């Protein structure tokens, strides 16, 4: 398909404004750490498991450090210092602290600076060991893709959500055998608001299955087995969001997940998680995802579930540009940026499909190297399964025509019940039929110069530039407070999790940014 005629200078101006917006937030937020960042750091250093009351040991350690007034310097140093002083492993330190038999101290106040140097050395060694493990996982993924091959884009992305990880595995295997390329395990309802990560294999989730490291491990093994058998690498996705965003990124990196839903603003807007907490957490989590070779999925599609898809189209593009810049700051490359958008225009609107094509092609051209994620109709599904199946077919057409990368399958039973296996089978068949029959149509047709589709894309781009100018002038927190995105307002000091935001002390230390960030600056480790 020929390209739309868009003003590249206008795109560049919009991208530069988004860059300045993201840097302004980063400069404000880098002065802080969070309880979830420090728990993730401890997990990456080797802390795992729960105490006798099923409280995760990373939580116990961080709570202890917070009570001792030590968390502002980072969890890594005092824990590593205790390892050196008592001759314990990091897991033994966590267990001993949880049992009330050890109180951690500040190595920076010691009379001997050798204690600090020893602690830094131990922390760095543990960090290096985990980074080697994550790098090996990345190499394993690359090798499996080379050996098994992978599907052509758009990849068919399908959800499982039984609440029981063992039942999820059965459904995931069936979906892969039927043609799914990406399996997303929906999290149990409300997990994003839990300030801890459940432990072990779980079987009692509601509306989804708990995100735990053991569940990640079980599903990864199952998809590796079925991918080897059918000759196609199957990607695994989970949700790296909520109050434990950095911890879930750490677990996913250690268990070789391939994609993570990891938006910079979704938790603020749709889960009322504190803005400062989210901005700090998203930077660390994306850094881990970048290092692990994980593709992130952003959540702009959600804006169109609460705002009108035509009137708010420019807010989607503005948010994508901001998300892109946050992603660059964390070390993500364009091919790891699954920037989200959706097919959500009211089907009763005349020429609605033209406007959907305009929006999808606009996003494709603004982000030519990104791994775009295109979401199906949901808002205007009525329970009429026959009409719904047609809506999904039109969505499939738009996706293949505009060469999207990640295609979340629409379900004809949307708005009726959680899709059954046969509903997923029909969704896969619908997409495969459309993709196969229209595979190369984009090379055979052109947009009419100055036509309706092109004019609509140009209008959305102009509105995006104007909006980003306003956001740059007032700041992103103020824009969110004004309800700019999704017509939902949140404030800088409101929401859940603000008590977990901690100003960094002058001696703050974390061993991971220096290893995970490309060209890391000294400010990241001091």
């Amino acid at each position: 398909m020929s390209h739309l005629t868009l003003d590249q200078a206008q795109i560049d101006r919009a991208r530069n404004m988004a860059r300045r917006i993201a840097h302004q937030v980063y400069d404000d937020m880098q002065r802080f750490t969070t309880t979830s960042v420090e728990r993730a750091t401890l997990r990456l250093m080797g802390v795992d498991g729960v105490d006798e009351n099923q409280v995760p040991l990373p939580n116990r350690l961080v709570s202890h450090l917070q009570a001792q007034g030590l968390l502002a310097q980072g969890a890594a140093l005092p824990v590593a210092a205790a390892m050196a002083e008592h001759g314990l492993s990091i897991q033994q330190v966590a267990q001993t602290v949880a049992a009330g038999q050890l109180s951690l101290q500040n190595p920076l106040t010691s009379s001997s600076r050798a204690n600090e140097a020893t602690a830094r050395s131990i922390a760095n060694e543990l960090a290096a060991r985990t980074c080697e493990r994550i790098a090996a996982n990345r190499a394993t993924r690359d090798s499996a893709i080379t050996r098994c091959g992978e599907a052509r884009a758009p990849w068919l992305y399908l959800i499982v959500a039984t609440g029981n990880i063992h039942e999820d595995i059965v459904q995931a295997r069936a979906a892969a055998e039927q043609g799914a390329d990406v399996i997303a395990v929906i999290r149990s309802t409300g997990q994003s608001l839990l300030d801890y990560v459940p432990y072990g294999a779980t079987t009692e989730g509601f509306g989804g299955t708990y995100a735990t490291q053991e569940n990640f491990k079980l599903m990864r093994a199952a998809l590796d087995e079925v991918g080897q058998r059918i000759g196609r690498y199957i990607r695994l996705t989970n949700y790296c969001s909520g109050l434990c965003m950095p911890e879930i990124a750490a677990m996913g990196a250690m268990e070789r997940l391939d994609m993570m839903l990891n938006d910079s603003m979704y938790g603020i807007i749709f889960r009322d998680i504190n803005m400062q907490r989210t901005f700090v957490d998203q930077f660390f989590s994306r850094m881990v995802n970048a290092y692990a070779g994980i593709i992130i999925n952003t959540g702009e599609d959600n804006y169109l579930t609460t705002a009108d898809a035509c009137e708010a189209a420019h807010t989607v593009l503005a948010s994508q540009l901001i998300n892109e810049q946050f992603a660059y700051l964390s070390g993500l490359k364009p091919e790891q940026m699954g920037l989200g958008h959706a097919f959500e225009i009211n089907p009763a609107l005349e020429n609605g499909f033209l406007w959907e094509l305009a929006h999808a092609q606009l996003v494709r051209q603004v982000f030519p190297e990104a791994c775009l994620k295109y979401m199906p109709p949901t808002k205007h599904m009525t329970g009429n399964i026959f009409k719904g199946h047609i809506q999904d077919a039109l969505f499939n057409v738009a996706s293949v025509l505009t060469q999207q990368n990640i295609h979340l399958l629409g379900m004809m039973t949307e708005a009726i019940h959680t899709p059954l296996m046969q509903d997923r089978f029909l969704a896969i068949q619908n997409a495969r039929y459309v993709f196969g029959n229209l595979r190369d149509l984009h090379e055979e047709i052109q947009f009419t110069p100055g036509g309706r589709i092109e004019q609509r894309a140009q209008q959305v781009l102009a509105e995006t530039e104007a909006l980003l100018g306003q956001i740059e002038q007032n700041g992103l927190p103020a824009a969110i407070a004004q309800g700019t995105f999704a017509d939902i307002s949140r404030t800088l000091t409101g929401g859940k999790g603000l008590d977990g935001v901690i100003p960094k002390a002058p001696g703050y230390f974390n061993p991971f940014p220096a290893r995970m960030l490309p060209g890391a600056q000294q400010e990241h480790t001091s």
Side-chain angles (χ1 to χ4, degrees):
M1 184 181 290
S2 65
H3 277 25
L4 298 166
T5 300
L6 301 174
D7 184 349
Q8 186 59 47
Q10 189 174 39
I11 295 172
D12 293 342
R13 289 194 301 270
R15 180 165 273 118
N16 286 332
M17 285 188 285
R19 182 180 298 113
R20 292 191 291 270
I21 291 165
H23 275 269
Q24 183 182 53
V25 173
Y26 171 74
D27 290 342
D28 290 341
M29 292 298 112
Q30 69 165 336
R31 299 178 293 113
F32 300 96
T33 186
T34 71
T35 50
S36 42
V37 164
E38 300 307 320
R39 295 194 305 251
T41 300
L42 292 173
R43 286 181 182 274
L44 288 167
M45 289 172 64
V47 177
D48 195 14
V50 293
D51 67 10
E52 59 184 6
N53 296 314
Q54 299 303 302
V55 177
L57 291 176
N59 287 67
R60 290 298 308 271
L61 267 181
V62 166
S63 295
H64 173 79
L65 288 167
Q66 203 166 11
Q68 296 288 98
L70 300 178
L71 200 57
Q73 70 185 48
L77 275 185
V79 171
M83 292 172 62
E85 181 179 354
H86 301 285
L88 301 174
S89 69
I90 192 168
Q91 185 70 10
Q92 289 170 330
V93 169
Q95 292 167 342
T96 307
V97 169
Q101 298 168 357
L102 177 63
S103 181
L104 299 180
Q105 306 297 320
N106 185 354
L108 300 179
T109 61
S110 169
S111 58
S112 170
R113 300 299 288 183
N115 288 354
E116 178 192 351
T118 300
R120 282 179 179 263
S121 177
I122 291 171
N124 281 323
E125 182 182 345
L126 292 174
R129 195 179 304 164
T130 297
C131 286
E132 288 173 5
R133 173 181 173 181
I134 294 171
N137 282 344
R138 190 167 183 168
T140 297
R141 178 193 300 118
D142 292 342
S143 175
I145 291 172
T146 299
R147 185 175 64 255
C148 294
E150 62 182 337
R152 296 170 65 182
W155 294 328
L156 297 182
Y157 178 116
L158 192 141
I159 289 167
V160 296
T162 69
N164 183 323
I165 186 60
H166 305 294
E167 293 180 9
D168 283 350
I169 287 171
V170 172
Q171 293 203 3
R173 282 176 169 151
E177 289 167 351
Q178 292 165 2
D181 307 307
V182 183
I183 299 296
V185 183
I186 293 286
R187 284 194 306 189
S188 183
T189 300
Q191 186 177 348
S192 63
L193 302 182
L194 297 180
D195 211 353
Y196 68 94
V197 179
Y199 181 74
T202 64
T203 59
E204 296 180 344
F206 179 78
T209 303
Y210 286 104
T212 74
Q213 189 165 344
E214 182 65 16
N215 285 348
F216 290 177
K217 183 177 183 179
L218 291 170
M219 184 61 81
R220 175 73 274 159
L223 295 185
D224 284 345
E225 183 275 328
V226 73
Q228 179 71 26
R229 178 157 42 83
I230 65 178
R232 191 174 79 253
Y233 186 75
I234 308 299
R235 287 173 166 82
L236 174 57
T237 304
N238 214 286
Y239 287 64
C240 185
S241 59
L243 290 169
C244 295
M245 185 191 299
E247 293 179 85
I248 292 175
M251 298 188 312
M254 289 188 283
E255 300 301 338
R256 192 170 39 90
L257 268 69
D258 306 289
M259 295 183 188
M260 283 287 197
L261 278 76
N262 191 203
D263 191 88
S264 61
M265 294 185 282
Y266 173 86
I268 301 167
I269 296 169
F270 292 98
R271 293 294 179 263
D272 195 20
I273 295 173
N274 175 259
M275 199 182 298
Q276 298 175 72
R277 173 77 171 260
T278 301
F279 283 141
V280 176
D281 285 353
Q282 66 87 28
F283 172 78
F284 190 91
S285 63
R286 287 181 170 194
M287 175 191 74
V288 175
N289 286 332
Y291 188 79
I294 289 171
I295 297 169
I296 67 164
N297 298 167
T298 64
E300 283 82 6
D301 57 284
N302 292 280
Y303 298 170
L304 305 184
T305 63
T306 54
D308 182 80
C310 277
E311 293 177 2
H314 63 296
T315 70
V316 169
L317 183 55
S319 178
Q320 289 171 325
L321 285 162
I322 293 169
N323 250 319
E324 175 192 49
Q325 296 306 316
F326 277 129
Y328 277 128
L329 283 169
S330 291
L332 284 157
K333 297 179 179 179
E335 60 267 24
Q336 292 176 275
M337 299 180 193
L339 301 170
H341 58 133
F343 187 100
E344 288 284 15
I345 291 174
N346 189 332
L349 182 67
E350 188 173 48
N351 283 329
F353 183 74
L354 276 65
W355 315 145
E356 295 283 15
L357 273 184
H359 298 170
Q361 182 64 23
L362 171 62
V363 172
R364 179 72 281 171
Q365 288 184 221
V366 173
F367 305 100
E369 297 178 309
C371 189
L372 299 178
K373 182 183 181 185
Y374 199 26
M375 301 290 284
T378 57
K379 182 175 180 178
H380 298 288
M381 288 293 210
T382 64
N384 179 339
I385 61 172
F386 303 106
K387 181 179 180 181
H389 212 42
I390 295 171
Q391 289 173 254
D392 288 336
L394 288 175
F395 160 64
N396 296 338
V397 171
S399 188
V400 72
L401 277 181
T402 58
Q403 298 179 278
Q404 303 297 312
N405 299 92
I406 305 167
H407 180 91
L408 197 149
L409 287 161
M411 297 290 157
M412 65 182 187
T413 50
E414 183 78 39
I416 301 177
H417 57 68
T418 300
L420 304 174
M421 290 181 74
Q422 57 263 38
D423 304 332
R424 296 188 176 102
F425 173 74
L426 290 171
I428 292 170
Q429 292 299 299
N430 184 333
R432 292 181 74 178
Y433 169 65
V434 171
F435 290 178
N437 276 266
L438 275 62
R439 177 63 68 181
D440 297 317
L441 183 61
H442 67 280
E443 296 179 355
E444 301 295 328
I445 60 176
Q446 300 180 18
F447 292 112
T448 300
R452 294 179 179 87
I453 293 174
E454 189 167 271
Q455 287 183 36
R456 174 59 182 165
Q458 292 168 343
Q459 176 191 347
V460 173
L461 179 58
E463 292 173 350
T464 300
E465 182 186 17
L467 176 59
L468 287 169
Q470 296 171 11
I471 295 172
E472 183 181 5
Q473 182 176 4
N474 299 323
L476 184 56
I480 295 173
Q482 292 165 3
T484 300
F485 301 105
D487 291 338
I488 296 172
S489 173
R490 305 296 187 196
T491 64
L492 191 64
T493 56
K496 307 167 186 70
L498 179 60
D499 57 347
V501 178
I502 298 111
K504 293 178 181 176
Y508 178 82
F509 172 73
N510 190 305
F512 288 99
R515 282 168 175 73
M516 291 185 168
L517 286 172
Q521 302 298 315
Q522 181 63 32
E523 66 186 15
H524 292 134
T525 58
S526 63

